[in-house]
Each structure stands twice: as structure tokens, then as C-alpha cells.
């Protein structure tokens, strides 16, 4: 009974607010959508395509509100948070459409408000609702999100886990220089700024090497070591894990004490505000992952990606709120894990890619003990850079993808010029997805002549135009399915 009264009160207050024209931040129909991703997964491209297709009436057959013609218009408005940089949608679209260049990657948090005016599918709802939803899209680096588990770890825990990760087969050679330097340093020695700086720079170099395409690793905290922004060179980023600490407390004035203090400062002044001011305010979330690159790097990279998704899920606050509970806190009730760049595979492999991501997400959900929210997966391309075709090779007909590789991309010894359209056989994903997660299988070597997937980056497509010269919306693969899961129910 209480739940029913609350729902009625909620709808009545929203209706009164709409009729009176005095929208408030508390009751106005809005939804905060978090967009994050790991290792160049395409956050900026996703947001740009999301907005462009809604504003320009893109082809979205699986997005029910668009398919049924209930969306009157979608337009950009001023965002509610004046202290957060605006997502530069216009610049990113200009790069995609005019220059056929991918926009710059996310380096910091940004926000954009897209308002959708629509007609409800329910006659009852049309009586009490103006049919208007503001979607506040919050774009932030996934590397920052992976810092949140640090809030529950001491400096000793952080150091121990960092060294355990560093000796994994997929990381051991990359971490050798940093581990050798650490072995020479006594944590109990007097604090020294230059020693701290050398350790921090060596540790950061190891993390950056892990992120390169050849390894495609994802679990790389602290995230600001990779994207320092305005904190570059500050004491809060001049620390590194120390070897052999055990459980002993740091001696006052020692290097151990200095590193411990700076680690705690990093959590207090960088990680906690990010969590408090942004993550706790989200209603929905999409996590974009470059599973293609991890697949190409081998099972070690896939295991690391699964670890990263597990830690990401453990950071969110899942659940379904009610009118009363939402007055005090927000809960994320839907999360979509999306494997991007599906256009780099023939459609025959799309279901296999989605099955691989489903397995990864299910395992991550189980490991994170994540309950209370709907979690779905999709293999997609927010902007489709290729089309499909076939080529004859002897008696065999091969399915290929056709596009313009970015200048400098290489495959089988050929270097592309960025202008020539090329047909490429990308290879097939394995039918048995268990092999993808089998860490006993050796990882692929960076210089392998027979990679699992022939992965090259393509330029954005040249957009089609109508007979009247109007540019059509950005092509995609399953963007409409992502939109339906993330906001479709709010437009019913």
C-alpha cells in the first residue's frame, strides 16, 4: 500500500510540476547516464553517435520510441552542472563528418544534456506527462573508475597487489625495470624527493607500456598516472608501490611514510571527490570495452579485462530506487557492457563476439557479487566504418570487410596510405569461446605473422547524402539496441 501511494504521489507531483511549468531539479524528468570505457574503447564516438542519431532522426529500428514515431524532437540544452566541462559534441561531429577523423580520446570528465520530447505510448501517461526527458550524459575515463577500489585498500595492500600483478606472465617483462629499481631501494631509508620521483616515473612508464596495443591490458591503477591532467607533477601523483613492506608501520620520516602519506592524499583529494560528486549521482551506466584488442593480444589480456570489469562493477551502487529513496540517494538500475568496433568483423562473427562478452560479464558479475541491477551485453559499433562484401580466393569465397584504413596501419607487411579503400578478411572468432579465457594458452606475440584477428583501424565513413543534398545520420551496428536498453523504458 505504501509503495502504491508513493508511486501515485510521484506521478501526481511530476504532473503538477509539468503543468505549472516550474520544473525543479528534484522532480523534473531526467536521467543521468554514465559513459565509461577502457583503453580507447570509443566513449567519445559513442556519445557523439548517440546524440547525432537522435537529433537527426537516424535509422534506429530497435529503438522503439523512434521506430514508432513517438519522438517529436531531440535537442541540446545547457547542462545542469556549471563546474563540469561541456562535452564538445560539435567539434567531435565536425571531425567525424567533415574530416573523416576520429575525435580525440577522453582525457577528463565532461557532460552534455540532451532533451527528448516524445509522446508516451500509454494514454494514461499522456494525461499526466509532458513527454519530456532530459538525458545528462556524463563522460569519464574508465582509468579513473578503476581507482575506486583503492578507497578500501591501505598502501601496504596496494603495494602487495601491484607487485603480484607485475609478475604475471603478460606483465613480467614490462615491469622488469620498475621492479629492479624498487629492489635497490630501502623503504625504511630517509624520505628523498628524487628517489620518490624516480620510482613514480618508472612505475608510470610500466603502466603505460601495459596499455599499448600489443598487450591491451586494462587493470592499471592509479588511473591518474595514465591521465594526470592538471595534477601532473604534484606530490599526490609522486608515489609508487614499495616492495617487502609486510605489516610493519612506516617509520616517521622514512620513504615508506612519505609514500603512504601521498597515497592517502591521492585517495582523499582525487578519488573520493570523483566518487562523491559523479559516480553516486548516476542512474544508468554503459561500460565500453575494446574486446577485439584484448582478443588479439591473447588470454592474458582477456583475463585482465575481466578483472577490470569486475572491479568496475564493484564500484557502482546497484539497485532500484523509489520516490522516497531517490530523495536521498541514486542507484544504478541498468548497466550495459558493450564490446565496440564490431564493424571490424564480418557479421557472421558478431554473435560470437557478443557471446564472449556475455561470458566475461557473467563471470565479472559473479566475482563482484553484483546484484540489484539489470546487466546486459551487446556487440556494437557506434559509428560503422566498414561495409561487407566477398572476394574469391581460388575456389573459396571469403567474407570481407571494406573500408579505408588509417594512414600508417599495417597488415601482412602492407602499409596503408589513409586514402585507399581496401577489402580485408579479418578472420573468424573461435566457435569454442572457452579457449578465449584459457590462460594456459600462450598469448599472441606482438610480431606474430598469424594473429587471431587481422585488426586495423579504419577512417570514419563518408556519409551518404540524399538527392536534396542532406547528409544522413552516422551509420552504426546495434546502437539502437543500446539506446533501447539504456533509455527506452523512460520513453514508454
Amino acid at each position: 500500500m505504501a509503495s502504491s501511494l508513493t508511486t501515485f504521489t510521484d506521478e501526481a507531483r511530476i504532473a503538477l510540476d509539468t503543468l505549472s511549468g516550474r520544473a525543479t531539479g528534484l522532480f523534473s524528468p531526467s536521467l543521468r547516464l554514465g559513459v565509461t570505457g577502457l583503453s580507447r574503447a570509443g566513449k567519445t564516438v559513442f556519445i557523439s553517435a548517440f546524440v547525432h542519431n537522435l537529433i537527426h532522426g537516424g535509422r534506429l529500428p530497435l529503438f522503439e520510441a523512434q521506430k514508432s514515431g513517438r519522438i517529436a524532437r531531440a535537442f541540446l540544452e545547457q547542462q545542469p552542472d556549471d563546474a563540469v566541462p561541456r562535452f564538445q559534441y560539435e567539434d567531435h561531429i565536425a571531425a567525424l563528418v567533415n574530416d573523416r577523423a576520429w575525435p580525440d580520446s577522453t582525457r577528463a570528465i565532461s557532460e552534455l544534456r540532451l532533451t527528448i520530447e516524445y509522446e508516451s505510448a500509454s494514454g494514461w501517461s499522456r494525461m499526466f506527462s509532458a513527454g519530456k526527458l532530459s538525458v545528462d550524459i556524463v563522460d569519464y575515463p574508465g582509468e579513473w573508475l578503476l581507482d575506486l577500489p583503492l578507497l578500501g585498500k591501505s598502501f601496504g595492500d596496494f603495494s602487495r597487489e601491484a607487485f603480484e600483478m607485475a609478475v604475471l606472465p603478460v606483465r613480467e617483462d614490462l615491469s622488469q625495470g620498475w621492479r629492479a629499481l624498487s629492489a635497490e631501494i630501502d623503504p625504511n631509508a630517509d624520505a628523498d624527493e628524487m628517489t620518490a620521483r624516480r620510482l613514480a616515473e618508472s612505475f608510470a612508464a610500466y603502466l603505460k607500456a601495459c596499455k599499448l596495443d600489443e598487450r591491451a591490458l586494462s587493470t592499471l591503477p592509479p588511473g591518474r598516472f595514465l591521465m594526470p591532467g592538471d595534477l601532473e607533477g604534484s606530490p599526490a601523483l609522486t608515489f609508487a608501490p614499495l616492495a617487502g613492506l609486510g605489516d610493519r608501520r612506516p617509520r616517521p620520516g622514512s620513504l615508506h611514510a612519505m609514500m603512504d602519506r601521498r597515497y592517502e592524499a591521492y585517495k582523499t583529494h582525487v578519488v573520493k571527490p570523483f566518487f562523491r560528486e559523479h559516480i553516486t549521482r548516476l542512474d544508468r551506466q554503459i561500460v565500453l570495452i575494446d574486446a577485439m584488442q584484448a582478443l588479439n593480444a591473447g588470454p592474458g589480456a582477456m583475463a585482465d579485462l575481466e578483472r577490470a570489469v569486475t572491479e568496475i562493477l564493484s564500484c557502482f551502487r546497484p539497485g532500484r530506487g523509489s520516490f522516497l529513496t531517490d530523495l536521498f540517494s541514486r542507484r544504478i538500475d541498468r548497466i550495459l557492457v558493450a564490446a565496440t568496433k564490431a564493424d571490424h568483423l564480418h557479421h557472421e562473427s558478431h554473435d560470437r563476439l557478443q557471446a564472449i562478452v556475455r561470458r566475461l560479464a557473467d563471470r565479472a558479475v559473479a566475482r563482484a557479487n553484483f546484484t540489484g541491477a539489470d546487466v546486459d551485453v551487446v556487440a556494437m559499433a557506434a559509428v560503422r566504418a566498414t561495409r561487407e562484401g566477398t572476394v574469391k580466393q581460388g575456389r573459396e569465397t571469403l567474407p570481407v570487410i571494406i573500408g579505408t584504413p588509417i594512414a600508417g596501419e599495417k597488415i601482412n607487411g602492407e602499409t596503408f596510405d589513409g586514402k585507399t579503400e581496401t577489402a580485408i578478411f579479418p578472420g573468424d572468432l573461435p566457435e569454442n569461446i572457452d579457449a578465449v579465457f584459457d590462460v594456459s594458452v600462450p598469448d599472441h606475440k606482438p610480431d606474430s605473422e598469424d594473429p587471431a584477428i587481422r585488426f586495423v583501424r579504419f577512417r570514419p565513413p563518408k556519409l551518404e547524402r540524399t538527392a536534396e543534398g542532406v547528409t544522413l545520420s552516422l551509420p552504426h551496428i546495434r546502437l539502437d539496441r543500446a539506446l533501447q536498453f539504456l533509455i527506452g523504458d523512460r520513453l514508454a
Side-chain angles (χ1 to χ4, degrees):
M1 179 66 70
S3 175
S4 176
L5 288 173
T6 300
T7 303
F8 176 80
T9 303
D10 187 13
E11 294 298 330
R13 290 192 176 186
I14 291 175
L16 288 172
D17 183 64
T18 303
L19 290 172
S20 66
R22 301 188 327 176
T24 65
L26 185 59
F27 297 113
S28 61
S30 64
L31 181 148
R32 289 183 69 84
L33 171 64
V35 179
T36 194
L38 299 168
S39 189
R40 293 183 297 188
K43 299 179 293 298
T44 302
V45 173
F46 171 81
I47 296 172
S48 300
F50 180 115
V51 174
H52 191 266
N53 274 278
L54 287 177
I55 289 178
H56 295 279
R59 291 165 286 189
L60 303 167
L62 296 181
F63 185 41
E64 197 278 330
Q66 181 87 319
K67 177 185 176 182
S68 60
R70 294 190 295 103
I71 294 182
R73 66 170 180 147
F75 55 96
L76 295 176
E77 287 193 292
Q78 294 184 25
Q79 66 194 56
D81 301 308
D82 291 334
V84 178
R86 182 180 183 273
F87 180 86
Q88 297 301 326
Y89 164 76
E90 295 81 2
D91 294 343
H92 300 322
I93 286 296
L96 284 167
V97 175
N98 300 333
D99 304 332
R100 293 185 64 195
W102 299 110
D104 293 336
S105 300
T106 298
R107 306 297 296 178
I109 196 163
S110 62
E111 185 176 339
L112 191 71
R113 167 166 281 197
L114 175 72
T115 296
I116 304 170
E117 292 181 351
Y118 68 99
E119 182 181 79
S120 175
S122 165
W124 176 260
S125 296
R126 286 197 293 270
M127 294 176 60
F128 294 96
S129 170
K132 184 177 180 179
L133 176 69
S134 293
V135 182
D136 295 320
I137 305 171
V138 183
D139 175 31
Y140 61 94
E143 288 80 3
W144 293 10
L145 191 62
L146 288 172
D147 279 349
L148 297 186
L150 299 179
L151 294 176
K153 300 175 184 177
S154 68
F155 178 68
D157 296 333
F158 164 66
S159 294
R160 182 177 61 257
E161 290 183 10
F163 279 97
E164 289 174 353
M165 295 275 287
V167 295
L168 292 175
V170 72
R171 296 170 178 249
E172 188 174 13
D173 59 330
L174 301 180
S175 66
Q176 186 174 1
W178 163 63
R179 288 185 291 113
L181 178 61
S182 298
E184 299 172 359
I185 293 171
D186 179 9
N188 202 44
D190 290 343
D192 177 73
E193 189 64 43
M194 292 309 295
T195 300
R197 180 177 168 183
R198 287 167 54 215
L199 280 170
E201 290 176 349
S202 180
F203 182 61
Y206 147 63
L207 295 181
K208 291 174 183 176
C210 288
K211 192 180 180 183
L212 295 178
D213 290 348
E214 290 80 5
R215 299 300 169 89
L217 299 178
S218 305
T219 312
L220 304 170
R224 294 294 182 105
F225 277 45
L226 297 172
M227 296 182 178
D230 56 2
L231 291 175
E232 188 167 8
S234 67
L237 295 190
T238 312
F239 69 90
L242 295 175
L245 296 182
D247 297 325
R248 67 175 183 270
R249 297 174 63 85
R251 176 182 66 82
S254 66
L255 180 66
H256 182 184
M258 172 196 277
M259 296 292 197
D260 190 301
R261 184 181 68 254
R262 291 181 175 181
Y263 171 78
E264 293 299 328
Y266 181 79
K267 294 197 298 181
T268 299
H269 300 298
V270 178
V271 183
K272 286 182 181 179
F274 170 64
F275 178 71
R276 182 177 62 249
E277 296 168 12
H278 301 292
I279 302 303
T280 59
R281 300 175 61 200
L282 298 176
D283 300 306
R284 302 275 167 92
Q285 177 70 50
I286 180 170
V287 180
L288 302 167
I289 60 174
D290 188 356
M292 293 278 292
Q293 198 68 56
L295 284 166
N296 206 37
M302 285 298 297
D304 194 75
L305 179 58
E306 181 185 324
R307 185 183 300 111
V309 174
T310 300
E311 295 202 354
I312 285 174
L313 292 178
S314 69
C315 298
F316 295 135
R317 301 169 62 206
R320 301 183 181 280
S322 65
F323 169 70
L324 291 176
T325 58
D326 284 346
L327 289 175
F328 305 101
S329 65
R330 291 179 184 250
R331 296 278 176 176
I332 295 176
D333 60 1
R334 290 192 178 189
I335 296 178
L336 183 65
V337 180
T340 58
K341 304 177 184 176
D343 57 332
H344 289 59
L345 290 170
H346 195 270
H347 76 270
E348 294 175 354
S349 286
H350 289 176
D351 287 344
R352 294 181 186 179
L353 177 60
Q354 189 159 299
I356 289 169
V357 178
R358 169 67 68 184
R359 174 73 65 86
L360 182 149
D362 287 346
R363 287 163 54 133
V365 165
R367 289 176 57 190
N369 295 318
F370 188 84
T371 58
D374 292 336
V375 180
D376 200 2
V377 303
V378 65
M380 63 174 289
V383 173
R384 182 172 189 166
T386 67
R387 64 185 191 278
E388 295 186 351
T390 58
V391 296
K392 285 281 189 180
Q393 191 174 60
R395 295 183 178 180
E396 190 176 7
T397 299
L398 296 178
V400 297
I401 55 176
I402 304 168
T404 306
I406 293 174
E409 288 291 300
K410 298 180 180 180
I411 187 169
N412 293 334
E414 180 182 358
T415 301
F416 297 102
D417 60 8
K419 300 177 183 179
T420 306
E421 192 173 70
T422 307
I424 295 173
F425 174 62
D428 295 319
L429 294 179
E431 291 186 29
N432 179 15
I433 63 175
D434 292 336
V436 170
F437 297 93
D438 186 358
V439 293
S440 67
V441 177
D443 289 326
H444 305 298
K445 300 298 183 183
D447 57 351
S448 172
E449 293 296 327
D450 185 27
I453 304 168
R454 290 174 173 83
F455 178 85
V456 298
R457 293 184 176 86
F458 295 90
R459 293 182 64 191
K462 184 176 182 179
L463 291 193
E464 302 173 20
R465 293 181 182 271
T466 65
E468 295 78 21
V470 178
T471 301
L472 300 179
S473 57
L474 291 163
H476 63 85
I477 297 174
R478 293 176 176 166
L479 176 64
D480 48 350
R481 179 177 165 182
L483 295 182
Q484 180 62 28
F485 179 78
L486 292 169
I487 66 173
D489 63 313
R490 297 295 295 270
L491 301 174

